[in-house]
Amino acid sequence: MFQKTLADTLAARETVRITCGHPACCKSTQLDIQALIDRLGPDHGSMHWDLVGFFVCSDCKADGRDRRPVFFTFVPDYRGQDEARTRRVSKPTFGRR
C-alpha cells in the first residue's frame, strides 16, 4: 500500500490545514510542510494518523479546556492544476472539408 510522505505533499504543493476539534474553539491553522520535514524527515508519513500525535491546540491548552482530537484538511494545488490544463494545446479531432 502506498504511503504518502511529507516530501510527496510538498512536491504536490498541497496546502495542509489543522483544525481543533473542540466545539468552543475550532481554531484552524495552515501547517508549514517544510518545517515538518526539517523536524520529522522527508520520509515521514503525511496522513492523519502519522501526524495527529504531534499536535495539540495551544488556545485550548491555555484556556484549560480538555484535549480534543485535531483534524487535517489537505487542499490540492488547484492553481497549478489549472495552469497545467491551460498550457495544453488542443487539436481538433475532425478533418477540414
Side-chain angles (χ1 to χ4, degrees):
M1 185 166 147
F2 177 72
Q3 172 76 20
K4 187 173 182 181
T5 65
L6 291 172
D8 296 333
T9 302
L10 184 65
R13 298 181 61 192
E14 290 180 328
T15 301
V16 181
R17 297 195 66 81
I18 184 170
T19 304
C20 176
H22 198 288
C25 180
C26 299
K27 176 183 175 183
S28 181
T29 304
Q30 183 172 326
L31 294 180
D32 183 354
I33 300 301
Q34 185 59 55
L36 281 175
I37 289 174
D38 294 343
R39 181 176 174 196
L40 303 174
D43 294 331
H44 192 277
S46 66
M47 301 308 288
H48 176 85
W49 290 112
D50 300 322
L51 300 174
V52 71
F54 294 103
F55 295 96
V56 175
C57 179
S58 57
D59 289 356
C60 286
K61 188 175 181 179
D63 290 344
R65 294 187 199 109
D66 58 324
R67 184 176 177 177
R68 298 288 177 97
V70 293
F71 302 96
F72 297 92
T73 305
F74 292 80
V75 181
D77 177 27
Y78 290 117
R79 178 174 288 165
Q81 291 175 2
D82 287 344
E83 289 172 0
R85 192 175 302 122
T86 59
R87 281 187 293 226
R88 290 186 215 147
V89 177
S90 61
K91 298 178 183 177
T93 58
F94 53 88
R96 292 187 152 188
R97 292 183 184 210

